[in-house]
Amino acid sequence: MGFDLNQQTLQGHDDSLRAALAGAGLPVDDLTDAGRSFYRFSRGGQTVGFGGLELYDETALLRSIVVLSDQRGFGFGHAITLSLLDQAHKKGAAAAYVLTETAAPFFQSLGFLPIARDEAPAAILTTRQAASLCPASAALMVRSLPA
Ligand SMILES: CC(C)(COP(=O)(O)OP(=O)(O)OC[C@H]1O[C@@H](n2cnc3c(N)ncnc32)[C@H](O)[C@@H]1OP(=O)(O)O)[C@@H](O)C(=O)NCCC(=O)NCCS
């Protein structure tokens, strides 16, 4: 990427995070559960989007990836996802999963491939995202790390 995004850790109850996720139709009901990390990504002092991670030993669930609607199409989504993959790898994850209803081609362009739910590890299937918050029609995708 030709730019660096500034990254700031957020609490799950952050209003701007919740508003961006709700506006994009992404789950907000489990944001304050334990074991989640959320970040604001900005450039030149302006927020461009958000992203989050859940880590289960050597497995990571990337989640809550959203670029503000007027900031889409500039490469920020790729940069946010690559940053989350890098962090997951540094924290010991060997594989990263993502659930998505509408952005499967976006994640495919970042090396993710669809996987049947019954082939995924229990740690991922029992996350609230996979078990209840994302519809059964959401695609589950995986890629190995490092990115
Ligand atoms: C998906 C999302 C994060 C992409 O952000 P972005 O900053 O526009 O992405 P980038 O600029 O890095 O990449 C754009 C590329 O991805 C493609 N793309 C982006 N969103 C897409 C989608 N929903 N479906 C298919 N392709 C998509 C664009 O066509 C573009 O392709 P190109 O480079 O070949 O022209 C953004 O559209 C978004 O916030 N969507 C709503 C939330 C969401 O669905 N999150 C994913 C589940 S966690």
mmCIF file of all heavy atoms in Angstrom, residues 96-142:
data_model
loop_
_atom_site.group_PDB
_atom_site.id
_atom_site.type_symbol
_atom_site.label_atom_id
_atom_site.label_comp_id
_atom_site.label_asym_id
_atom_site.label_seq_id
_atom_site.Cartn_x
_atom_site.Cartn_y
_atom_site.Cartn_z
ATOM 1 N N ALA A 96 -6.342 -17.180 9.760
ATOM 2 C CA ALA A 96 -7.310 -16.124 10.056
ATOM 3 C C ALA A 96 -8.610 -16.433 9.330
ATOM 4 O O ALA A 96 -8.602 -16.812 8.152
ATOM 5 C CB ALA A 96 -6.773 -14.765 9.604
ATOM 6 N N TYR A 97 -9.717 -16.280 10.042
ATOM 7 C CA TYR A 97 -11.047 -16.513 9.490
ATOM 8 C C TYR A 97 -11.817 -15.201 9.431
ATOM 9 O O TYR A 97 -11.560 -14.267 10.202
ATOM 10 C CB TYR A 97 -11.826 -17.504 10.375
ATOM 11 C CG TYR A 97 -11.271 -18.907 10.301
ATOM 12 C CD1 TYR A 97 -10.116 -19.246 11.000
ATOM 13 C CD2 TYR A 97 -11.880 -19.868 9.514
ATOM 14 C CE1 TYR A 97 -9.594 -20.529 10.914
ATOM 15 C CE2 TYR A 97 -11.359 -21.153 9.429
ATOM 16 C CZ TYR A 97 -10.225 -21.484 10.131
ATOM 17 O OH TYR A 97 -9.697 -22.734 10.039
ATOM 18 N N VAL A 98 -12.793 -15.145 8.530
ATOM 19 C CA VAL A 98 -13.668 -13.982 8.449
ATOM 20 C C VAL A 98 -15.046 -14.468 8.018
ATOM 21 O O VAL A 98 -15.165 -15.456 7.282
ATOM 22 C CB VAL A 98 -13.076 -12.929 7.473
ATOM 23 C CG1 VAL A 98 -13.106 -13.411 6.040
ATOM 24 C CG2 VAL A 98 -13.766 -11.597 7.603
ATOM 25 N N LEU A 99 -16.079 -13.821 8.532
ATOM 26 C CA LEU A 99 -17.458 -14.109 8.121
ATOM 27 C C LEU A 99 -17.966 -12.896 7.370
ATOM 28 O O LEU A 99 -17.835 -11.766 7.858
ATOM 29 C CB LEU A 99 -18.341 -14.323 9.353
ATOM 30 C CG LEU A 99 -18.233 -15.678 10.024
ATOM 31 C CD1 LEU A 99 -18.585 -15.550 11.499
ATOM 32 C CD2 LEU A 99 -19.166 -16.687 9.357
ATOM 33 N N THR A 100 -18.556 -13.105 6.215
ATOM 34 C CA THR A 100 -19.061 -11.942 5.476
ATOM 35 C C THR A 100 -20.289 -12.307 4.664
ATOM 36 O O THR A 100 -20.383 -13.400 4.108
ATOM 37 C CB THR A 100 -17.986 -11.337 4.551
ATOM 38 O OG1 THR A 100 -18.534 -10.192 3.898
ATOM 39 C CG2 THR A 100 -17.499 -12.336 3.503
ATOM 40 N N GLU A 101 -21.210 -11.368 4.623
ATOM 41 C CA GLU A 101 -22.422 -11.569 3.816
ATOM 42 C C GLU A 101 -22.260 -11.005 2.418
ATOM 43 O O GLU A 101 -22.814 -11.528 1.467
ATOM 44 C CB GLU A 101 -23.606 -10.882 4.493
ATOM 45 C CG GLU A 101 -24.280 -11.734 5.530
ATOM 46 C CD GLU A 101 -25.586 -11.097 5.948
ATOM 47 O OE1 GLU A 101 -26.592 -11.289 5.249
ATOM 48 O OE2 GLU A 101 -25.567 -10.382 6.964
ATOM 49 N N THR A 102 -21.551 -9.881 2.302
ATOM 50 C CA THR A 102 -21.536 -9.172 1.013
ATOM 51 C C THR A 102 -20.141 -8.939 0.439
ATOM 52 O O THR A 102 -20.021 -8.528 -0.709
ATOM 53 C CB THR A 102 -22.204 -7.794 1.165
ATOM 54 O OG1 THR A 102 -21.487 -7.065 2.160
ATOM 55 C CG2 THR A 102 -23.657 -7.920 1.565
ATOM 56 N N ALA A 103 -19.089 -9.169 1.224
ATOM 57 C CA ALA A 103 -17.753 -8.763 0.770
ATOM 58 C C ALA A 103 -16.827 -9.944 0.468
ATOM 59 O O ALA A 103 -15.604 -9.802 0.517
ATOM 60 C CB ALA A 103 -17.119 -7.829 1.802
ATOM 61 N N ALA A 104 -17.396 -11.114 0.120
ATOM 62 C CA ALA A 104 -16.535 -12.276 -0.161
ATOM 63 C C ALA A 104 -15.504 -11.978 -1.260
ATOM 64 O O ALA A 104 -14.324 -12.325 -1.110
ATOM 65 C CB ALA A 104 -17.385 -13.501 -0.500
ATOM 66 N N PRO A 105 -15.870 -11.310 -2.356
ATOM 67 C CA PRO A 105 -14.846 -11.040 -3.388
ATOM 68 C C PRO A 105 -13.721 -10.139 -2.870
ATOM 69 O O PRO A 105 -12.562 -10.296 -3.279
ATOM 70 C CB PRO A 105 -15.643 -10.348 -4.500
ATOM 71 C CG PRO A 105 -17.071 -10.745 -4.275
ATOM 72 C CD PRO A 105 -17.213 -10.888 -2.796
ATOM 73 N N PHE A 106 -14.077 -9.201 -1.994
ATOM 74 C CA PHE A 106 -13.058 -8.325 -1.392
ATOM 75 C C PHE A 106 -12.052 -9.168 -0.611
ATOM 76 O O PHE A 106 -10.831 -9.006 -0.762
ATOM 77 C CB PHE A 106 -13.749 -7.299 -0.481
ATOM 78 C CG PHE A 106 -12.823 -6.545 0.423
ATOM 79 C CD1 PHE A 106 -12.095 -5.463 -0.049
ATOM 80 C CD2 PHE A 106 -12.673 -6.910 1.754
ATOM 81 C CE1 PHE A 106 -11.234 -4.763 0.784
ATOM 82 C CE2 PHE A 106 -11.826 -6.219 2.596
ATOM 83 C CZ PHE A 106 -11.101 -5.148 2.105
ATOM 84 N N PHE A 107 -12.551 -10.093 0.227
ATOM 85 C CA PHE A 107 -11.628 -10.914 1.017
ATOM 86 C C PHE A 107 -10.881 -11.923 0.140
ATOM 87 O O PHE A 107 -9.731 -12.248 0.419
ATOM 88 C CB PHE A 107 -12.379 -11.596 2.167
ATOM 89 C CG PHE A 107 -12.773 -10.632 3.250
ATOM 90 C CD1 PHE A 107 -14.092 -10.258 3.438
ATOM 91 C CD2 PHE A 107 -11.804 -10.056 4.062
ATOM 92 C CE1 PHE A 107 -14.440 -9.341 4.419
ATOM 93 C CE2 PHE A 107 -12.136 -9.133 5.040
ATOM 94 C CZ PHE A 107 -13.463 -8.777 5.224
ATOM 95 N N GLN A 108 -11.526 -12.391 -0.921
ATOM 96 C CA GLN A 108 -10.838 -13.306 -1.833
ATOM 97 C C GLN A 108 -9.624 -12.608 -2.445
ATOM 98 O O GLN A 108 -8.582 -13.220 -2.647
ATOM 99 C CB GLN A 108 -11.802 -13.773 -2.927
ATOM 100 C CG GLN A 108 -11.360 -15.064 -3.570
ATOM 101 C CD GLN A 108 -12.536 -15.971 -3.933
ATOM 102 O OE1 GLN A 108 -13.691 -15.638 -3.690
ATOM 103 N NE2 GLN A 108 -12.232 -17.114 -4.505
ATOM 104 N N SER A 109 -9.757 -11.315 -2.720
ATOM 105 C CA SER A 109 -8.628 -10.578 -3.313
ATOM 106 C C SER A 109 -7.487 -10.412 -2.311
ATOM 107 O O SER A 109 -6.382 -10.009 -2.690
ATOM 108 C CB SER A 109 -9.100 -9.209 -3.824
ATOM 109 O OG SER A 109 -9.371 -8.332 -2.749
ATOM 110 N N LEU A 110 -7.741 -10.728 -1.044
ATOM 111 C CA LEU A 110 -6.704 -10.679 -0.013
ATOM 112 C C LEU A 110 -6.246 -12.084 0.384
ATOM 113 O O LEU A 110 -5.613 -12.253 1.426
ATOM 114 C CB LEU A 110 -7.245 -9.934 1.218
ATOM 115 C CG LEU A 110 -7.278 -8.415 1.051
ATOM 116 C CD1 LEU A 110 -8.317 -7.787 1.980
ATOM 117 C CD2 LEU A 110 -5.900 -7.829 1.352
ATOM 118 N N GLY A 111 -6.573 -13.071 -0.425
ATOM 119 C CA GLY A 111 -6.043 -14.415 -0.198
ATOM 120 C C GLY A 111 -6.941 -15.327 0.613
ATOM 121 O O GLY A 111 -6.561 -16.458 0.910
ATOM 122 N N PHE A 112 -8.129 -14.856 0.991
ATOM 123 C CA PHE A 112 -9.059 -15.713 1.732
ATOM 124 C C PHE A 112 -9.794 -16.630 0.754
ATOM 125 O O PHE A 112 -10.121 -16.223 -0.362
ATOM 126 C CB PHE A 112 -10.096 -14.868 2.470
ATOM 127 C CG PHE A 112 -9.579 -14.191 3.706
ATOM 128 C CD1 PHE A 112 -8.933 -12.966 3.605
ATOM 129 C CD2 PHE A 112 -9.740 -14.755 4.961
ATOM 130 C CE1 PHE A 112 -8.457 -12.319 4.741
ATOM 131 C CE2 PHE A 112 -9.265 -14.114 6.096
ATOM 132 C CZ PHE A 112 -8.621 -12.896 5.984
ATOM 133 N N LEU A 113 -10.082 -17.853 1.214
ATOM 134 C CA LEU A 113 -10.854 -18.796 0.420
ATOM 135 C C LEU A 113 -12.049 -19.279 1.236
ATOM 136 O O LEU A 113 -11.945 -19.423 2.465
ATOM 137 C CB LEU A 113 -9.988 -20.002 0.032
ATOM 138 C CG LEU A 113 -8.864 -19.700 -0.962
ATOM 139 C CD1 LEU A 113 -7.959 -20.897 -1.122
ATOM 140 C CD2 LEU A 113 -9.458 -19.273 -2.316
ATOM 141 N N PRO A 114 -13.171 -19.560 0.569
ATOM 142 C CA PRO A 114 -14.342 -20.046 1.301
ATOM 143 C C PRO A 114 -14.051 -21.407 1.930
ATOM 144 O O PRO A 114 -13.327 -22.219 1.354
ATOM 145 C CB PRO A 114 -15.421 -20.172 0.222
ATOM 146 C CG PRO A 114 -14.886 -19.495 -0.988
ATOM 147 C CD PRO A 114 -13.396 -19.441 -0.863
ATOM 148 N N ILE A 115 -14.644 -21.638 3.099
ATOM 149 C CA ILE A 115 -14.500 -22.929 3.770
ATOM 150 C C ILE A 115 -15.869 -23.323 4.314
ATOM 151 O O ILE A 115 -16.626 -22.457 4.785
ATOM 152 C CB ILE A 115 -13.438 -22.855 4.907
ATOM 153 C CG1 ILE A 115 -13.278 -24.201 5.602
ATOM 154 C CG2 ILE A 115 -13.733 -21.762 5.899
ATOM 155 C CD1 ILE A 115 -12.162 -24.221 6.647
ATOM 156 N N ALA A 116 -16.200 -24.618 4.224
ATOM 157 C CA ALA A 116 -17.469 -25.095 4.783
ATOM 158 C C ALA A 116 -17.416 -24.955 6.297
ATOM 159 O O ALA A 116 -16.366 -25.156 6.909
ATOM 160 C CB ALA A 116 -17.701 -26.550 4.398
ATOM 161 N N ARG A 117 -18.548 -24.589 6.879
ATOM 162 C CA ARG A 117 -18.542 -24.369 8.337
ATOM 163 C C ARG A 117 -18.103 -25.604 9.100
ATOM 164 O O ARG A 117 -17.432 -25.488 10.117
ATOM 165 C CB ARG A 117 -19.922 -23.906 8.803
ATOM 166 C CG ARG A 117 -20.246 -22.514 8.292
ATOM 167 C CD ARG A 117 -21.189 -21.790 9.209
ATOM 168 N NE ARG A 117 -21.493 -20.462 8.668
ATOM 169 C CZ ARG A 117 -21.945 -19.455 9.380
ATOM 170 N NH1 ARG A 117 -22.153 -19.611 10.670
ATOM 171 N NH2 ARG A 117 -22.192 -18.294 8.824
ATOM 172 N N ASP A 118 -18.476 -26.803 8.607
ATOM 173 C CA ASP A 118 -18.106 -28.001 9.375
ATOM 174 C C ASP A 118 -16.626 -28.363 9.237
ATOM 175 O O ASP A 118 -16.146 -29.298 9.858
ATOM 176 C CB ASP A 118 -19.014 -29.195 9.028
ATOM 177 C CG ASP A 118 -18.984 -29.544 7.554
ATOM 178 O OD1 ASP A 118 -18.122 -28.995 6.828
ATOM 179 O OD2 ASP A 118 -19.812 -30.366 7.125
ATOM 180 N N GLU A 119 -15.892 -27.589 8.432
ATOM 181 C CA GLU A 119 -14.437 -27.813 8.338
ATOM 182 C C GLU A 119 -13.651 -26.833 9.209
ATOM 183 O O GLU A 119 -12.431 -26.920 9.304
ATOM 184 C CB GLU A 119 -13.973 -27.660 6.882
ATOM 185 C CG GLU A 119 -14.409 -28.802 5.982
ATOM 186 C CD GLU A 119 -14.049 -28.526 4.526
ATOM 187 O OE1 GLU A 119 -13.045 -27.837 4.286
ATOM 188 O OE2 GLU A 119 -14.811 -28.980 3.660
ATOM 189 N N ALA A 120 -14.337 -25.866 9.817
ATOM 190 C CA ALA A 120 -13.650 -24.847 10.614
ATOM 191 C C ALA A 120 -13.462 -25.328 12.046
ATOM 192 O O ALA A 120 -14.216 -26.172 12.530
ATOM 193 C CB ALA A 120 -14.462 -23.559 10.595
ATOM 194 N N PRO A 121 -12.444 -24.804 12.745
ATOM 195 C CA PRO A 121 -12.227 -25.215 14.127
ATOM 196 C C PRO A 121 -13.379 -24.794 15.036
ATOM 197 O O PRO A 121 -14.047 -23.788 14.783
ATOM 198 C CB PRO A 121 -10.935 -24.482 14.526
ATOM 199 C CG PRO A 121 -10.526 -23.657 13.380
ATOM 200 C CD PRO A 121 -11.464 -23.855 12.257
ATOM 201 N N ALA A 122 -13.571 -25.583 16.092
ATOM 202 C CA ALA A 122 -14.664 -25.312 17.032
ATOM 203 C C ALA A 122 -14.557 -23.908 17.613
ATOM 204 O O ALA A 122 -15.574 -23.246 17.845
ATOM 205 C CB ALA A 122 -14.663 -26.361 18.144
ATOM 206 N N ALA A 123 -13.326 -23.439 17.844
ATOM 207 C CA ALA A 123 -13.148 -22.115 18.448
ATOM 208 C C ALA A 123 -13.794 -21.030 17.591
ATOM 209 O O ALA A 123 -14.333 -20.050 18.112
ATOM 210 C CB ALA A 123 -11.658 -21.822 18.632
ATOM 211 N N ILE A 124 -13.739 -21.197 16.277
ATOM 212 C CA ILE A 124 -14.343 -20.206 15.379
ATOM 213 C C ILE A 124 -15.854 -20.403 15.322
ATOM 214 O O ILE A 124 -16.630 -19.444 15.390
ATOM 215 C CB ILE A 124 -13.728 -20.328 13.970
ATOM 216 C CG1 ILE A 124 -12.237 -19.955 14.006
ATOM 217 C CG2 ILE A 124 -14.489 -19.472 12.956
ATOM 218 C CD1 ILE A 124 -11.942 -18.527 14.433
ATOM 219 N N LEU A 125 -16.293 -21.658 15.250
ATOM 220 C CA LEU A 125 -17.734 -21.930 15.117
ATOM 221 C C LEU A 125 -18.514 -21.533 16.353
ATOM 222 O O LEU A 125 -19.708 -21.252 16.272
ATOM 223 C CB LEU A 125 -17.957 -23.421 14.813
ATOM 224 C CG LEU A 125 -17.359 -23.888 13.491
ATOM 225 C CD1 LEU A 125 -17.580 -25.375 13.305
ATOM 226 C CD2 LEU A 125 -17.976 -23.109 12.321
ATOM 227 N N THR A 126 -17.852 -21.502 17.511
ATOM 228 C CA THR A 126 -18.562 -21.157 18.738
ATOM 229 C C THR A 126 -18.459 -19.673 19.083
ATOM 230 O O THR A 126 -18.992 -19.246 20.100
ATOM 231 C CB THR A 126 -18.059 -22.009 19.931
ATOM 232 O OG1 THR A 126 -16.636 -21.895 20.009
ATOM 233 C CG2 THR A 126 -18.444 -23.458 19.749
ATOM 234 N N THR A 127 -17.777 -18.867 18.252
ATOM 235 C CA THR A 127 -17.824 -17.421 18.485
ATOM 236 C C THR A 127 -19.265 -16.960 18.337
ATOM 237 O O THR A 127 -20.062 -17.567 17.608
ATOM 238 C CB THR A 127 -16.958 -16.651 17.465
ATOM 239 O OG1 THR A 127 -17.432 -16.946 16.144
ATOM 240 C CG2 THR A 127 -15.487 -17.021 17.585
ATOM 241 N N ARG A 128 -19.620 -15.872 19.000
ATOM 242 C CA ARG A 128 -21.002 -15.377 18.881
ATOM 243 C C ARG A 128 -21.297 -14.962 17.450
ATOM 244 O O ARG A 128 -22.429 -15.078 16.991
ATOM 245 C CB ARG A 128 -21.235 -14.218 19.854
ATOM 246 C CG ARG A 128 -21.386 -14.699 21.288
ATOM 247 C CD ARG A 128 -21.823 -13.588 22.211
ATOM 248 N NE ARG A 128 -23.164 -13.095 21.926
ATOM 249 C CZ ARG A 128 -23.663 -11.975 22.432
ATOM 250 N NH1 ARG A 128 -22.935 -11.237 23.236
ATOM 251 N NH2 ARG A 128 -24.890 -11.588 22.127
ATOM 252 N N GLN A 129 -20.268 -14.466 16.743
ATOM 253 C CA GLN A 129 -20.467 -14.088 15.341
ATOM 254 C C GLN A 129 -20.929 -15.294 14.532
ATOM 255 O O GLN A 129 -21.905 -15.210 13.794
ATOM 256 C CB GLN A 129 -19.147 -13.584 14.747
ATOM 257 C CG GLN A 129 -18.696 -12.254 15.280
ATOM 258 C CD GLN A 129 -18.692 -11.184 14.206
ATOM 259 O OE1 GLN A 129 -18.384 -11.449 13.054
ATOM 260 N NE2 GLN A 129 -19.044 -9.984 14.590
ATOM 261 N N ALA A 130 -20.205 -16.406 14.657
ATOM 262 C CA ALA A 130 -20.511 -17.578 13.833
ATOM 263 C C ALA A 130 -21.756 -18.304 14.338
ATOM 264 O O ALA A 130 -22.546 -18.816 13.551
ATOM 265 C CB ALA A 130 -19.323 -18.533 13.814
ATOM 266 N N ALA A 131 -21.916 -18.346 15.670
ATOM 267 C CA ALA A 131 -22.975 -19.170 16.242
ATOM 268 C C ALA A 131 -24.335 -18.495 16.192
ATOM 269 O O ALA A 131 -25.356 -19.169 16.059
ATOM 270 C CB ALA A 131 -22.622 -19.531 17.676
ATOM 271 N N SER A 132 -24.364 -17.158 16.297
ATOM 272 C CA SER A 132 -25.686 -16.545 16.369
ATOM 273 C C SER A 132 -25.822 -15.196 15.679
ATOM 274 O O SER A 132 -26.875 -14.890 15.146
ATOM 275 C CB SER A 132 -26.106 -16.398 17.836
ATOM 276 O OG SER A 132 -25.198 -15.595 18.553
ATOM 277 N N LEU A 133 -24.779 -14.380 15.643
ATOM 278 C CA LEU A 133 -24.976 -13.005 15.184
ATOM 279 C C LEU A 133 -24.970 -12.867 13.672
ATOM 280 O O LEU A 133 -25.667 -12.014 13.124
ATOM 281 C CB LEU A 133 -23.901 -12.090 15.788
ATOM 282 C CG LEU A 133 -23.926 -11.998 17.314
ATOM 283 C CD1 LEU A 133 -22.799 -11.109 17.803
ATOM 284 C CD2 LEU A 133 -25.259 -11.465 17.783
ATOM 285 N N CYS A 134 -24.160 -13.688 12.978
ATOM 286 C CA CYS A 134 -24.135 -13.607 11.518
ATOM 287 C C CYS A 134 -25.113 -14.638 10.961
ATOM 288 O O CYS A 134 -25.152 -15.772 11.431
ATOM 289 C CB CYS A 134 -22.730 -13.902 10.976
ATOM 290 S SG CYS A 134 -21.576 -12.566 11.264
ATOM 291 N N PRO A 135 -25.893 -14.286 9.950
ATOM 292 C CA PRO A 135 -26.838 -15.246 9.400
ATOM 293 C C PRO A 135 -26.131 -16.473 8.838
ATOM 294 O O PRO A 135 -24.963 -16.400 8.452
ATOM 295 C CB PRO A 135 -27.542 -14.470 8.290
ATOM 296 C CG PRO A 135 -26.894 -13.161 8.203
ATOM 297 C CD PRO A 135 -25.891 -13.008 9.279
ATOM 298 N N ALA A 136 -26.873 -17.577 8.789
ATOM 299 C CA ALA A 136 -26.286 -18.819 8.274
ATOM 300 C C ALA A 136 -25.800 -18.644 6.843
ATOM 301 O O ALA A 136 -24.911 -19.351 6.376
ATOM 302 C CB ALA A 136 -27.321 -19.945 8.357
ATOM 303 N N SER A 137 -26.378 -17.660 6.138
ATOM 304 C CA SER A 137 -25.981 -17.433 4.745
ATOM 305 C C SER A 137 -24.629 -16.724 4.629
ATOM 306 O O SER A 137 -24.056 -16.652 3.543
ATOM 307 C CB SER A 137 -27.039 -16.590 4.040
ATOM 308 O OG SER A 137 -27.241 -15.385 4.749
ATOM 309 N N ALA A 138 -24.086 -16.209 5.740
ATOM 310 C CA ALA A 138 -22.790 -15.521 5.678
ATOM 311 C C ALA A 138 -21.701 -16.520 5.290
ATOM 312 O O ALA A 138 -21.666 -17.643 5.791
ATOM 313 C CB ALA A 138 -22.466 -14.879 7.026
ATOM 314 N N ALA A 139 -20.817 -16.097 4.398
ATOM 315 C CA ALA A 139 -19.720 -16.967 3.971
ATOM 316 C C ALA A 139 -18.627 -16.964 5.034
ATOM 317 O O ALA A 139 -18.270 -15.907 5.569
ATOM 318 C CB ALA A 139 -19.150 -16.457 2.654
ATOM 319 N N LEU A 140 -18.100 -18.154 5.328
ATOM 320 C CA LEU A 140 -16.929 -18.271 6.200
ATOM 321 C C LEU A 140 -15.717 -18.464 5.300
ATOM 322 O O LEU A 140 -15.741 -19.307 4.384
ATOM 323 C CB LEU A 140 -17.090 -19.462 7.145
ATOM 324 C CG LEU A 140 -15.931 -19.718 8.102
ATOM 325 C CD1 LEU A 140 -15.739 -18.552 9.073
ATOM 326 C CD2 LEU A 140 -16.175 -21.009 8.896
ATOM 327 N N MET A 141 -14.683 -17.665 5.541
ATOM 328 C CA MET A 141 -13.490 -17.707 4.686
ATOM 329 C C MET A 141 -12.245 -17.797 5.557
ATOM 330 O O MET A 141 -12.246 -17.360 6.701
ATOM 331 C CB MET A 141 -13.422 -16.451 3.806
ATOM 332 C CG MET A 141 -14.683 -16.249 2.982
ATOM 333 S SD MET A 141 -14.613 -14.807 1.904
ATOM 334 C CE MET A 141 -13.611 -15.439 0.559
ATOM 335 N N VAL A 142 -11.181 -18.369 4.996
ATOM 336 C CA VAL A 142 -9.949 -18.572 5.774
ATOM 337 C C VAL A 142 -8.728 -18.301 4.905
ATOM 338 O O VAL A 142 -8.768 -18.491 3.684
ATOM 339 C CB VAL A 142 -9.901 -20.023 6.332
ATOM 340 C CG1 VAL A 142 -9.856 -21.047 5.205
ATOM 341 C CG2 VAL A 142 -8.722 -20.214 7.280
#
